[in-house]
Amino acid sequence: MAKVADTEENMKKCICGGCPSYNDCMKEKMQGLFCARGKTDCETVRNGCICGSCPIASENRLEKMYYCQIGAEA
Ligand code: SF4
Ligand code: SF4
């Protein structure tokens, strides 16, 4: 569980945009890669989390979910 690199390359791999918990506020602010960039300042509701299917999660052996709410992997 290494720290996730905050890079454009990783941002492109982030699948948060397809998540049921990803909302218009996050979209407008072009947020994502929460596991590296930290939690959102948008209001959130837990409608499911697809981090488990994300290549960033497998590459970095992430085991948690809802990084948009819990903040970056330390
Ligand atoms: S693990 Fe979750 S927050 Fe991190 S890049 Fe993937 S979908 Fe986004
Ligand atoms: S961190 Fe998880 S819950 Fe939040 S938007 Fe990304 S995939 Fe969805």
Side-chain angles (χ1 to χ4, degrees):
M1 286 178 283
K3 211 172 173 187
V4 181
D6 180 2
T7 62
E8 273 311 304
E9 195 189 348
N10 280 350
M11 182 63 184
K12 281 181 197 150
K13 291 185 194 170
C14 173
I15 61 170
C16 284
C19 171
S21 298
Y22 193 82
N23 58 36
D24 288 345
C25 174
M26 297 177 190
K27 192 176 179 181
E28 275 167 28
K29 297 185 176 188
M30 295 191 291
Q31 294 178 345
L33 197 60
F34 301 107
C35 55
R37 296 183 174 175
K39 58 183 148 186
T40 180
D41 57 350
C42 296
E43 282 189 38
T44 51
V45 177
R46 293 194 176 197
N47 288 325
C49 176
I50 58 172
C51 284
S53 305
C54 176
I56 299 295
S58 41
E59 285 166 16
N60 295 275
R61 302 186 182 205
L62 301 183
E63 291 173 347
K64 296 175 202 157
M65 298 207 296
Y66 291 103
Y67 289 102
C68 58
Q69 295 179 35
I70 68 169
E73 183 72 41

